[in-house]
Amino acid sequence: MTALEKATGDVVLKFEPFVLHVLCQELPDAQLLHAVAVNSGFRNSGITVGRGGKIMMAVRSTHCLEVPLSRKGKLMVSEEYIEFLIHVANRKMEENM
């Protein structure tokens, strides 16, 4: 809260989801990993095949959060709401693990 009170610009609370990139030797390997990731709840996962044939499997979580807190130095939310957001972000971090 002290840092927010001193802020003169815009402040955003941002939680980035888990991302794991895996270089796969063969496409069936990437497809198997993709199926496991999606079935485990990582619904934003995907496979990319580059021009040179490099196969990259990305395991991605959907647990993101981005909330503006202040605008031009003016706090736009209550301290109670910020505590709630921190609780939500911490819960998302636990889900990532």
Side-chain angles (χ1 to χ4, degrees):
M1 288 307 298
T2 302
L4 279 172
E5 291 167 1
K6 293 179 183 178
T8 58
D10 298 351
V11 176
V12 176
L13 174 67
K14 188 171 184 178
F15 176 83
E16 294 285 341
F18 170 81
V19 177
L20 172 68
H21 290 101
V22 180
L23 182 61
C24 298
Q25 212 166 20
E26 303 288 334
L27 186 56
D29 299 330
Q31 291 170 323
L32 176 61
L33 181 56
H34 180 263
V36 170
V38 170
N39 289 333
S40 297
F42 296 97
R43 295 182 300 273
N44 280 356
S45 299
I47 300 170
T48 304
V49 180
R51 290 184 192 162
K54 184 166 92 171
I55 303 166
M56 186 67 65
M57 168 50 202
V59 179
R60 292 188 208 108
S61 169
T62 58
H63 302 114
C64 60
L65 178 69
E66 187 170 355
V67 182
L69 302 178
S70 71
R71 173 90 171 131
K72 297 181 181 177
K74 180 183 177 197
L75 189 60
M76 304 300 289
V77 297
S78 68
E79 185 174 350
E80 180 182 359
Y81 184 66
I82 292 171
E83 290 173 8
F84 168 74
L85 289 175
I86 291 169
H87 174 74
V88 170
N90 286 337
R91 193 171 64 237
K92 289 179 180 292
M93 179 64 85
E94 290 172 11
E95 290 172 6
N96 268 340
M97 292 183 194

